[in-house]
Amino acid sequence: KAGVTQTPRYLIKTRGQQVTLSCSPISGHRSVSWYQQTPGQGLQFLFEYFSETQRNKGNFPGRFSGRQFSNSRSEMNVSTLELGDSALYLCASSRGTGNTGELFFGEGSRLTVL
Amino acid sequence: DAKTTQPNSMESNEEEPVHLPCNHSTISGTDYIHWYRQLPSQGPEYVIHGLTSNVNNRMASLAIAEDRKSSTLILHRATLRDAAVYYCILRDGARGQNFVFGPGTRLSVLP
């Protein structure tokens, strides 16, 4: 069974640009959540999608957005990049949004903003 | 969100049991206790979760105090591959909240 796939794995952008990251969940999983991980702040929740609807949102500025498609694949977008957006962005999928579902994480997309 | 407190770091010798503590004194009745771990250069992976009773799986055991204000993740025989950051997280089962990761415990396993 294929795991959670995130693309691209590594990317470099400059300040002011925008970036789109992609996440393909495990087959049959309908919930996708996104996290930002930095050495200073640790793992921080960005947002969660279930059946193409955003269910929860973390405390991030509006430059961070996401969406989920009908096949459960998800994308997140960061506009007007800042140096502080350099981080590992992790996607996780689960069967549902209930508490019984464990999260399966991808290996992440490492973004460097110059 | 209910908070958890874990030691910053712990050390263990290979092939010995490891007990990783977690305090959650403000836990509510519908909060589940989840444990995840993150190996170097990887995303977090699920270890175990429970509500009130002790739980066992092939990776670990979870011992939950009777008052549920603390819990302990038990690795029965530590291996070098168990060196990771371990996160103890509470998640409200009734409200389906997102997972809030704290700093976790960095476990070092000595050969």
Side-chain angles (χ1 to χ4, degrees):
Chain A
K1 184 172 175 180
V4 177
T5 304
Q6 291 188 245
T7 57
R9 290 291 314 281
Y10 302 91
L11 66 166
I12 300 173
K13 294 284 187 178
T14 56
R15 278 182 300 173
Q17 287 186 311
Q18 74 161 11
V19 66
T20 299
L21 309 177
S22 178
C23 172
S24 293
I26 291 172
S27 177
H29 285 192
R30 297 170 64 191
S31 174
V32 172
S33 51
W34 289 87
Y35 291 81
Q36 181 196 64
Q37 186 170 33
T38 60
Q41 299 295 321
L43 269 159
Q44 292 188 285
F45 172 77
L46 281 158
F47 23 67
E48 179 191 9
Y49 288 88
F50 179 79
S51 293
E52 301 179 68
T53 302
Q54 188 179 89
R55 295 292 295 265
N56 282 308
K57 189 176 190 308
N59 190 26
F60 278 81
R63 300 185 296 108
F64 292 80
S65 63
R67 59 178 176 168
Q68 185 180 35
F69 302 96
S70 58
N71 61 358
S72 294
R73 191 177 70 84
S74 177
E75 287 181 350
M76 67 162 282
N77 184 277
V78 187
S79 63
T80 320
L81 283 166
E82 300 176 359
L83 295 179
D85 297 333
S86 295
L88 180 67
Y89 290 87
L90 290 158
C91 164
S93 76
S94 64
R95 288 192 181 279
T97 60
N99 200 62
T100 54
E102 65 186 81
L103 295 180
F104 293 83
F105 283 84
E107 293 187 300
S109 293
R110 184 166 295 281
L111 169 66
T112 301
V113 182
L114 302 176
Chain B
D1 297 328
K3 300 250 186 271
T4 63
T5 305
Q6 300 176 252
N8 290 334
S9 61
M10 290 184 64
E11 264 187 11
S12 172
N13 293 318
E14 199 176 7
E15 298 189 5
E16 289 187 356
V18 182
H19 291 232
L20 296 163
C22 181
N23 287 319
H24 29 78
S25 58
T26 59
I27 191 170
S28 73
T30 52
D31 280 331
Y32 281 73
I33 303 159
H34 293 253
W35 283 83
Y36 281 75
R37 72 180 186 180
Q38 187 171 19
L39 279 65
S41 303
Q42 294 188 26
E45 66 173 345
Y46 169 82
V47 178
I48 201 166
H49 80 286
L51 182 62
T52 56
S53 305
N54 294 343
V55 185
N56 300 295
N57 65 22
R58 62 176 179 80
M59 284 182 72
S61 295
L62 176 60
I64 301 173
E66 198 169 330
D67 62 7
R68 299 188 69 234
K69 294 187 176 182
S70 65
S71 61
T72 302
L73 177 70
I74 302 165
L75 306 180
H76 297 286
R77 274 180 86 241
T79 68
L80 296 178
R81 195 192 172 278
D82 291 321
V85 178
Y86 286 78
Y87 300 98
C88 169
I89 305 155
L90 300 184
R91 192 183 192 214
D92 189 326
R95 290 190 286 164
Q97 294 170 323
N98 52 278
F99 285 83
V100 179
F101 287 79
T105 297
R106 183 173 297 278
L107 175 67
S108 301
V109 179
L110 307 176

